[in-house]
Amino acid sequence: MRLKSFPWFGMDIGGTLVKLVYFEPVDITAEEEQEEVENLKSIRRYLTSNVAYGKTGVRDVHLELRNLTMCGRTGNLHFIRFPTQAMHRFIQMGRDKNFSSLHTTLCATGGGAYKFENDFRTMADLELLKLDELDCLIRGLLFVDRVGFNGHPECYYFQNPSDTQSCVKRPCSLDNPFPMLLVNIGSGVSILAVYSQDNYKRVTGTSLGGGTFLGLCCLLTGCETFEEALEMASKGDSTNVDKLVKDIYGGDYERFGLQGSAVASSFGHMMSKEKRDSISKEDLARATLVTITNNIGSIARMCAVNEKIERVVFVGNFLRINTVSTKLLAYAMDFWSKGQLRALFLEHEGYFGAVGALMELLKTTEEQ
Amino acid sequence: MAECVRVEGSSHSMDKSITLPPDEIFRNLENAKRFAIDIGGSLTKLAYYSTVQHKVAKVRSFDHTAKEVPSDKLYEISVQEEITARLHFIKFENAYIETCLDFIKDHLVNTETKVIKATGGGAHKFKDLIEKKLGLKVDKEDEMTCLIKGCNFVLKNIPHEAFVYAKHADSEFRFQNTHPDIFPYLLVNIGSGVSIVKVESEDKFERIGGSSIGGGTFWGLGALLTKTKRFDELLQLASKGQHTSVDMLVKDIYGGSYGSLGLTGDLIASSFGKSATADKDFSKEDMAKSLLHMISNDIGQLACLYAKLHNLSRVYFGGFFIRGHPVTMHTITYSINFFTKGEVQALFLRHEGYLGAIGAFLKGAEEDNPNQYSWGENYAGSSGLMSVSPDINPMQRARSGTFPFDMLEMDRLERQLVNLPLLQDASSYIPDTVDLTEDALAREYWLSCFEEALDGVVKRAVASQPDIPEAAERAEKFRQKYRHKLQTLRHQPFAYGSLTVRSLLDTREHCLNEFNFPDPYSKIKQRENDVALKYYQKAVKSLEELSWEERQFALVRGVLAGNVFDWGAKAVSDVLESDPEFGFEEAKRQLQERPWLVDAYDQWIERLKGPPHKCALFFVDNSGMDIILGVMPFVRELLCRGTEVVLASNSGPALNDVTNGELQILTERIAAMDPVIQSGLKEDRLTLVQSGSSSPCLDLSRLDKVLAMVVRERQTDLVIIEGMGRAIHTNYYAMLTCESLKMAVIKNSWLADRLGGKLFSVVFKYEDPTRKPSKDTVALTPS
């Protein structure tokens, strides 16, 4: 067996973010090091000695998987992301660093693998190995869950999701993960019913996803980044924006068993000019977040019931640093299913597609 | 979820000096009782029950044994006052509520009314005003219960209530048949939020789900994003926008489609996904469009998930988000088609806006048992779909000084109506042969034809009431009303469901009744019956002299020749008016010689050589020659063969069609001359029933319950339908479980032309479901 030459990358080019995983070998022998071209060294140094790249690239250091063994090599797996908007700058960098001279295969998934394929070829003389994003997502997810998060479980859930006081995050294992309903919340949302690593189907999807949250927040509050939008949302109160059941009925709507505190109409108060003039940007951000999250929860729950699956796993970068949404999803699954459904989350939220792409690279290596 | 109350609406209270047109709105208020009101976010719907006094023509037989017979007439016609029940529903903008309440107070005579049933999100807001103005106690009813009750009522009682919306088709509205069993269904009510209700029976329904993303989200978010306050304006913006500049599409991510999943490039991957990454300004129109798509798709998706989970295929959409807005009907339809791949159709309702008011009314009228009766939409008094165009800004309408309102009137029918038990498939039965909503050429012809015939109808209406001086004035009002209806139908053929020759005829009858011309042909029918009766015995005698084979042919020709006498057909009424001596023999000469345009006569004769039928149901057509010299000898022959006969005639007058009342008298008189008819009546082998209809056409899905019962009891195995109205304009394609005979003479040259025949071409269609269909069938639609 001949190992695929370094560097090992897996890339997932989404609608909003590019997710890049990089395997940094730590078991390089002196002999190897001598043979290693300068170019490769420089790439490794650049990636591992920085936590930010350019204006918008970020390495999620806290997610790094250390001393991982892949294909007989030991190393650290690094998780890097940057906006898809910066894709052309990234390709230019690949050209400037003469990446094509390394004769590596660049495994890429996500829609951008198709969209930017030609740009990679013409601008940087690089050929992409295009991979299906859902295949990669599932493969990557199962791999990361299997190897664990540096000795801790990758998976977690919320205990007492219906009680904000005692609601706590708890680690758990995904042993025997099938069947599961996998809800991937990126710019949009895909919902998959997964029966085994190779047997899954896309049940449905919705266009109301992370892109909608950020897009609406930008329009409504003038914010510019996801972090900013979430920061605002964490300080706001959505009940100033949303019309609740009790706003209409004065209390519960008993005929239909609806609690007074349930949202009757998202942004319903905004029909009134008075109310429009009295709310804050934070309230709007919060309402947007709650609306999108509840809607995803509602669709996911219906799919779980229709597909007769009790385990619902939420992934995707919408959930990054977004405890408002994770807790709300946990609560919604538990409440509306009367405890029948459990929402599960994974620490590496949005990176599984990229991990899956990297694994494909190593798989092609084995076959050679 | 509840409809919201528009808070800013109070800023433009309307000028109270506006005068309401009392002839047109709040009609029959003096007899009104049982009020109900549904106050929504912008529209108020008022419902009341009233009795209508109008004239009906009654026939009464003279006592022919008595000496003092005043004339040689068969029967006398008297015009009597009759009281019928009518439901009135009026929809107007909330801004007019005070004006309307004042008007009602001034005109309300009935003092028994103590309570007004109220529903809708705005009911509490106007409670004090209503109680103060009307002196009635406001009794609030649950909104969703009212909605469901109203929905059940319209689905059961109004044909073509539900429709599929297809923006780019030849006709945007595709109306659905009334299904004999309306349950179970899903109602998706899109108010400020969304409620998804599963309805299983009259009293059993359950809210199985919902969503907070609804009309309020469109309105609220839309107002924030575009600084546009009004819901209607937001929809207008949306209809002008391009969502692709705001939404992230699959092709924005993939560069094309996502082939392996079958997701096309134009599919929205992320709503508003581009507004996060691009730093440009977005137009109001584009944002409104994107928002509309986002919300419609989301609701459509949820509706599909619930429909699938509960295994329901009939999904109706309502609520202010939908209410007659082509834009939202289109986006919801698109979404449902996308998510169910066409398995579920989005259905909308013509009277969606009235459901709450109808339901609230029914709650208050439970002691009158309104659900025990059949009701019919009154085309004369109802405004029709889209009568108030949603595209017109209400503020502009107010400035123009008109008072925009929309009305629905429903008459309580005397008879309970049910399906003919012999229909092969009641759920797919369509009475009408040609849908003029879809066939533009035919529509143009028939609308002009009815317009041209209007002068003659007005003339005969006046002539039918020679002793009443103000008849001319009323007839003129009738002319204006019907002409206006025809004009409306020219622009909005879908106003009352599918436009058909039948609906045009029925609308004319409704308009005539409205202006107290209950039976303009009563005297003509009387005269014709008199004349024809004199020839009866002679006709029977000459038939008896023929051989069996000759007689069968002569009988069929007799029915056909009788059918030439028809005031409903313009070509004939011209001849009849210019040449009253136009006789029966003359009519026979006019008939087309065999082979006829549709000719199954040989099969019919073959069948007659076999065993007699058990019982024949005969839907008769015109008075005079038709019934007396055509139909009766035919009936006589059937009786002689040992076949029982049920004669079904109209309950109320329509053109010169023989009514049940008239036929009773005629049959008695014939029985007095003819022992065969005599014994048939006596032995109960000849039965007269009423159809339950007052139309020149025939809807086999709305027939008198008694007729259905008799048909079942007698084990009817042959149905005979006679005349253009019943066998050509309607029922030409009706499939029955037993043998059927459809006989008509084409008395309209345009129609004859279209069918490839000439004036007075004959259609003789005999069908036996156990045998292969006759290949002589002519398609009644152009190839």
Side-chain angles (χ1 to χ4, degrees):
Chain A
M1 187 176 78
R2 217 191 59 172
L3 277 179
K4 190 78 186 175
S5 58
F6 290 120
W8 290 356
F9 281 114
M11 187 158 51
D12 176 5
I13 312 169
T16 311
L17 282 179
V18 180
K19 282 77 65 176
L20 189 69
V21 293
Y22 167 65
F23 185 84
E24 171 209 0
V26 293
D27 56 355
I28 299 175
T29 59
E31 197 180 325
E32 256 183 317
E33 190 148 7
Q34 280 213 323
E35 277 178 27
E36 202 177 28
V37 292
E38 192 50 41
N39 214 345
L40 189 58
K41 279 192 188 117
S42 116
I43 288 171
R44 190 170 71 229
R45 267 199 307 274
Y46 175 68
L47 290 176
T48 55
S49 60
N50 289 300
V51 292
Y53 315 94
K55 275 184 189 155
T56 50
V58 173
R59 180 154 62 92
D60 283 314
V61 183
H62 66 287
L63 291 180
E64 183 179 328
L65 294 177
R66 289 182 297 275
N67 290 316
L68 195 65
T69 306
M70 287 183 97
C71 266
R73 297 300 301 254
T74 306
N76 300 326
L77 196 59
H78 297 279
F79 297 86
I80 298 161
R81 60 186 153 86
F82 60 89
T84 309
Q85 269 184 315
M87 198 62 211
H88 282 124
R89 252 178 293 151
F90 177 80
I91 299 173
Q92 268 163 15
M93 191 179 76
R95 183 189 58 193
D96 297 346
K97 293 201 184 289
N98 202 12
F99 207 88
S100 59
S101 67
L102 295 171
H103 302 292
T104 185
T105 311
L106 202 46
C107 281
T109 186
Y114 296 80
K115 187 181 178 184
F116 296 106
E117 181 184 20
N118 204 38
D119 295 336
F120 271 98
R121 189 179 297 136
T122 56
M123 290 170 68
D125 192 27
L126 283 168
E127 281 300 321
L128 292 186
L129 179 62
K130 304 192 297 292
L131 301 163
D132 181 80
E133 62 173 298
L134 300 182
D135 288 345
C136 288
L137 169 67
I138 292 167
R139 195 171 302 129
L141 184 152
L142 293 172
F143 173 77
V144 175
D145 179 65
R146 198 163 59 236
V147 298
F149 187 11
N150 300 326
H152 300 284
E154 167 70 12
C155 184
Y156 66 91
Y157 71 101
F158 288 95
Q159 203 172 31
N160 305 320
S162 53
D163 180 5
T164 42
Q165 298 297 315
S166 61
C167 174
V168 278
K169 181 174 164 180
R170 291 265 183 239
C172 67
S173 87
L174 248 189
D175 295 343
N176 193 12
F178 308 114
M180 69 169 155
L181 195 77
L182 183 56
V183 183
N184 185 29
I185 317 173
S187 314
V189 182
S190 273
I191 300 180
L192 320 176
V194 187
Y195 302 99
S196 74
Q197 172 155 328
D198 303 310
N199 180 16
Y200 71 89
K201 65 174 178 184
R202 184 179 188 271
V203 179
T204 188
T206 167
S207 69
L208 283 84
T212 316
F213 163 65
L214 186 53
L216 278 175
C217 265
C218 292
L219 292 173
L220 293 171
T221 70
C223 72
E224 286 177 345
T225 65
F226 183 67
E227 288 77 3
E228 239 183 294
L230 277 184
E231 175 65 20
M232 280 191 177
S234 68
K235 291 177 195 154
D237 180 357
S238 61
T239 62
N240 293 331
V241 178
D242 294 340
K243 198 175 256 192
L244 307 186
V245 169
K246 66 178 173 211
D247 295 327
I248 299 172
Y249 293 98
D252 297 351
Y253 189 8
E254 281 162 21
R255 176 69 181 80
F256 282 147
L258 288 174
Q259 288 185 324
S261 59
V263 183
S265 174
S266 298
F267 288 84
H269 277 320
M270 298 299 93
M271 289 184 275
S272 136
K273 187 174 187 313
E274 254 170 57
K275 290 256 169 73
R276 283 202 294 276
D277 293 342
S278 72
I279 38 99
S280 68
K281 289 181 173 183
E282 286 75 14
D283 293 343
L284 287 172
R286 178 66 166 232
T288 310
L289 187 61
V290 168
T291 301
I292 299 295
T293 305
N294 272 334
N295 190 59
I296 294 167
S298 172
I299 293 171
R301 185 179 61 86
M302 285 301 297
C303 290
V305 176
N306 270 339
E307 301 298 324
K308 301 182 177 61
I309 297 177
E310 288 178 4
R311 191 174 4 218
V312 185
V313 181
F314 292 94
V315 297
N317 266 321
F318 173 66
L319 300 175
R320 192 174 66 80
I321 57 167
N322 187 357
T323 43
V324 173
S325 290
T326 45
K327 285 186 177 177
L328 198 52
L329 286 169
Y331 167 74
M333 287 302 113
D334 181 71
F335 179 82
W336 291 106
S337 73
K338 300 185 177 73
Q340 287 294 300
L341 296 176
R342 176 178 273 192
L344 300 173
F345 304 92
L346 298 171
E347 300 285 358
H348 287 83
E349 291 128 358
Y351 281 109
F352 301 115
V355 174
L358 172 64
M359 291 172 69
E360 192 62 32
L361 171 80
L362 303 182
K363 196 170 130 199
T364 59
T365 307
E366 283 165 23
E367 280 159 7
Q368 277 172 356
Chain B
M1 197 51 56
E3 247 185 89
C4 63
V5 181
R6 195 172 71 227
V7 182
E8 61 221 83
S10 51
S11 60
H12 53 268
S13 187
M14 291 298 153
D15 182 9
K16 277 190 219 158
S17 66
I18 193 163
T19 38
L20 302 180
D23 285 351
E24 295 166 43
I25 190 172
F26 303 125
R27 285 147 36 99
N28 301 308
L29 203 55
E30 53 280 5
N31 302 315
K33 56 174 188 172
R34 298 205 193 292
F35 281 86
I37 195 163
D38 173 13
I39 307 176
S42 54
L43 294 172
T44 295
K45 282 77 69 173
L46 185 80
Y48 58 91
Y49 169 93
S50 184
T51 47
V52 189
Q53 203 167 21
H54 60 98
K55 294 191 163 53
V56 289
K58 292 272 181 196
V59 291
R60 193 173 68 91
S61 187
F62 289 116
D63 184 359
H64 287 270
T65 55
K67 291 279 180 241
E68 67 281 23
V69 176
S71 70
D72 57 350
K73 291 205 173 79
L74 275 175
Y75 53 84
E76 68 174 337
I77 307 158
S78 61
V79 173
Q80 296 170 10
E81 294 285 334
E82 195 180 68
I83 290 172
T84 55
R86 185 173 289 176
L87 293 181
H88 295 262
F89 302 97
I90 300 107
K91 180 162 71 182
F92 50 86
E93 283 171 35
N94 288 356
Y96 296 100
I97 200 161
E98 205 165 339
T99 315
C100 290
L101 291 175
D102 282 333
F103 182 88
I104 292 166
K105 190 180 121 200
D106 292 345
H107 290 78
L108 191 63
V109 183
N110 189 317
T111 50
E112 287 167 35
T113 304
K114 298 267 188 287
V115 168
I116 179 166
K117 290 281 180 190
T119 188
H124 68 271
K125 190 182 161 196
F126 291 97
K127 182 173 182 280
D128 292 343
L129 186 71
I130 296 167
E131 296 197 332
K132 194 183 89 195
K133 292 272 181 193
L134 294 184
L136 299 176
K137 188 179 163 293
V138 171
D139 193 1
K140 191 125 181 352
E141 288 290 341
D142 174 69
E143 202 173 330
M144 201 54 69
T145 310
C146 291
L147 203 62
I148 304 293
K149 262 193 173 307
C151 192
N152 292 340
F153 186 80
V154 296
L155 285 175
K156 271 191 303 191
N157 288 290
I158 305 187
H160 290 178
E161 175 61 33
F163 62 87
V164 168
Y165 185 79
K167 189 184 174 188
H168 300 296
D170 287 344
S171 57
E172 295 163 71
F173 303 86
R174 277 209 303 277
F175 295 96
Q176 308 292 298
N177 291 321
T178 318
H179 202 275
D181 188 7
I182 61 169
F183 305 109
Y185 66 84
L186 208 59
L187 179 66
V188 181
N189 191 52
I190 315 173
S192 47
V194 181
S195 279
I196 301 178
V197 185
K198 178 186 179 183
V199 186
E200 286 178 281
S201 73
E202 196 62 57
D203 301 305
K204 192 175 174 205
F205 63 89
E206 182 193 0
R207 185 186 192 271
I208 54 173
S211 167
S212 66
I213 299 184
T217 315
F218 177 70
W219 195 345
L221 249 181
L224 288 168
L225 291 171
T226 69
K227 314 281 177 246
T228 303
K229 290 173 194 166
R230 293 187 50 86
F231 180 72
D232 293 11
E233 287 169 25
L234 277 168
L235 280 182
Q236 268 187 316
L237 281 181
S239 63
K240 286 182 248 159
Q242 286 290 330
H243 73 105
T244 51
S245 63
V246 183
D247 289 341
M248 187 184 283
L249 309 184
V250 166
K251 69 180 171 201
D252 293 322
I253 302 175
Y254 273 81
S257 65
Y258 184 177
S260 62
L261 287 182
L263 303 177
T264 61
D266 288 327
L267 201 70
I268 304 170
S270 175
S271 296
F272 287 91
K274 277 185 194 153
S275 60
T277 48
D279 37 13
K280 54 172 180 168
D281 281 336
F282 297 94
S283 81
K284 291 178 175 186
E285 287 82 0
D286 292 353
M287 288 189 289
K289 177 72 162 222
S290 172
L291 186 61
L292 176 68
H293 275 303
M294 175 180 107
I295 289 168
S296 298
N297 285 338
D298 192 54
I299 295 170
Q301 179 171 28
L302 271 180
C304 293
L305 287 167
Y306 280 103
K308 189 181 167 199
L309 185 64
H310 293 263
N311 199 19
L312 297 169
S313 58
R314 271 174 286 177
V315 185
Y316 300 100
F317 287 85
F320 80 74
F321 186 68
I322 297 292
R323 204 145 299 163
H325 297 296
V327 198
T328 56
M329 289 196 288
H330 174 63
T331 52
I332 287 283
T333 300
Y334 181 87
S335 167
I336 294 287
N337 285 342
F338 174 79
F339 284 110
T340 69
K341 299 178 180 73
E343 277 173 35
V344 173
Q345 281 190 316
L347 295 168
F348 305 96
L349 301 169
R350 275 203 287 142
H351 299 102
E352 192 279 319
Y354 287 110
L355 301 186
I358 294 173
F361 171 81
L362 292 172
K363 283 290 275 183
E366 266 160 4
E367 62 192 73
D368 286 342
N369 283 323
N371 272 326
Q372 267 187 2
Y373 298 92
S374 287
W375 298 79
E377 181 179 12
N378 188 307
Y379 296 142
S382 301
S383 314
L385 191 63
M386 304 276 195
S387 70
V388 183
S389 168
D391 295 337
I392 303 171
N393 181 331
M395 289 299 281
Q396 289 167 2
R397 283 198 302 255
R399 255 178 254 128
S400 73
T402 55
F403 175 76
F405 59 90
D406 185 276
M407 296 197 302
L408 165 65
E409 293 187 4
M410 295 191 67
D411 289 321
R412 192 175 77 192
L413 308 177
E414 283 174 42
R415 329 283 302 182
Q416 211 176 340
L417 304 182
V418 297
N419 275 310
L420 179 69
L422 300 169
L423 283 176
Q424 261 185 28
D425 178 12
S427 60
S428 68
Y429 167 71
I430 301 169
D432 306 287
T433 307
V434 178
D435 184 345
L436 303 181
T437 332
E438 283 172 7
D439 188 336
L441 269 178
R443 176 169 75 238
E444 187 47 45
Y445 169 76
W446 286 111
L447 283 169
S448 305
C449 182
F450 277 84
E451 236 157 40
E452 282 166 28
L454 191 50
D455 280 343
V457 177
V458 170
K459 211 171 97 192
R460 271 188 298 280
V462 176
S464 72
Q465 298 179 354
D467 309 327
I468 306 171
E470 41 80 51
E473 197 185 315
R474 267 189 290 119
E476 199 47 46
K477 281 186 182 165
F478 154 76
R479 183 210 300 275
Q480 280 169 17
K481 179 118 193 180
Y482 189 57
R483 182 179 288 149
H484 181 249
K485 290 276 170 197
L486 290 173
Q487 277 161 1
T488 305
L489 288 167
R490 217 176 259 281
H491 301 296
Q492 292 150 320
F494 47 78
Y496 301 97
S498 287
L499 183 68
T500 60
V501 175
R502 176 169 63 109
S503 71
L504 286 168
L505 285 164
D506 289 354
T507 306
R508 191 165 74 188
E509 296 298 327
H510 290 178
C511 290
L512 279 167
N513 280 324
E514 198 57 45
F515 294 99
N516 271 320
F517 293 106
D519 192 358
Y521 288 86
S522 57
K523 295 216 162 58
I524 293 169
K525 288 189 287 183
Q526 187 188 36
R527 197 172 65 233
E528 286 174 347
N529 286 335
D530 276 348
V531 173
L533 211 55
K534 294 197 177 90
Y535 290 102
Y536 179 76
Q537 276 171 308
K538 197 177 154 202
V540 167
K541 188 158 177 284
S542 68
L543 282 165
E544 276 181 334
E545 285 162 5
L546 300 173
S547 70
W548 185 86
E549 294 252 3
E550 285 171 336
R551 188 165 68 249
Q552 301 315 310
F553 188 57
L555 283 167
V556 167
R557 273 175 60 88
V559 172
L560 293 168
N563 199 247
V564 171
F565 290 84
D566 188 350
W567 287 86
K570 197 173 173 297
V572 182
S573 63
D574 289 348
V575 180
L576 282 172
E577 245 165 334
S578 62
D579 181 11
E581 294 303 309
F582 185 78
F584 194 52
E585 293 308 313
E586 176 63 24
K588 281 187 193 163
R589 274 194 291 278
Q590 296 275 4
L591 286 182
Q592 181 192 18
E593 291 299 323
R594 285 193 68 198
W596 293 322
L597 186 58
V598 176
D599 194 338
Y601 182 74
D602 293 340
Q603 289 95 310
W604 169 243
I605 283 302
E606 276 312 301
R607 172 63 189 87
L608 284 186
K609 287 175 184 165
H613 295 92
K614 170 84 183 62
C615 173
L617 169 67
F618 202 137
F619 287 98
V620 301
D621 189 8
N622 307 313
S623 307
M625 302 287 179
D626 188 345
I627 183 74
I628 295 169
L629 301 182
V631 174
M632 277 304 184
F634 198 95
V635 168
R636 189 178 189 278
E637 182 77 12
L638 286 170
L639 287 170
C640 292
R641 277 172 60 80
T643 301
E644 292 176 22
V645 179
V646 178
L647 282 181
S649 53
N650 268 5
S651 301
L655 295 170
N656 62 328
D657 291 3
V658 64
T659 63
N660 186 254
E662 288 156 357
L663 190 56
Q664 299 270 4
I665 297 168
L666 294 180
T667 312
E668 275 169 37
R669 294 281 289 141
I670 291 170
M673 298 185 272
D674 185 344
V676 177
I677 301 293
Q678 174 89 301
S679 64
L681 283 176
K682 205 176 271 174
E683 292 157 21
D684 213 18
R685 289 188 298 114
L686 173 59
T687 314
L688 272 56
V689 293
Q690 37 184 310
S691 65
S693 156
S694 303
S695 164
C697 294
L698 179 64
D699 180 352
L700 296 177
S701 66
R702 279 167 75 82
L703 291 174
D704 193 327
K705 204 175 178 180
V706 175
L707 183 150
M709 198 187 70
V710 171
V711 160
R712 227 180 262 118
E713 274 174 6
R714 303 276 159 113
Q715 296 166 4
T716 304
D717 54 355
L718 173 65
V719 174
I720 305 172
I721 307 176
E722 182 214 1
M724 274 217 318
R726 291 175 183 77
I728 304 282
H729 293 316
T730 54
N731 298 310
Y732 187 75
Y733 296 119
M735 306 284 276
L736 302 176
T737 53
C738 67
E739 290 169 58
S740 65
L741 197 53
K742 294 163 189 167
M743 290 185 273
V745 180
I746 312 288
K747 290 161 290 191
N748 172 295
S749 50
W750 181 85
L751 185 62
D753 207 42
R754 192 175 235 218
L755 302 181
K758 290 198 204 95
L759 195 62
F760 302 119
S761 287
V762 168
V763 170
F764 187 90
K765 194 177 183 189
Y766 166 69
E767 286 162 303
D768 179 352
T770 62
R771 289 198 281 180
K772 273 187 216 152
S774 151
K775 51 183 179 289
D776 301 313
T777 303
V778 174
L780 288 187
T781 39
S783 46

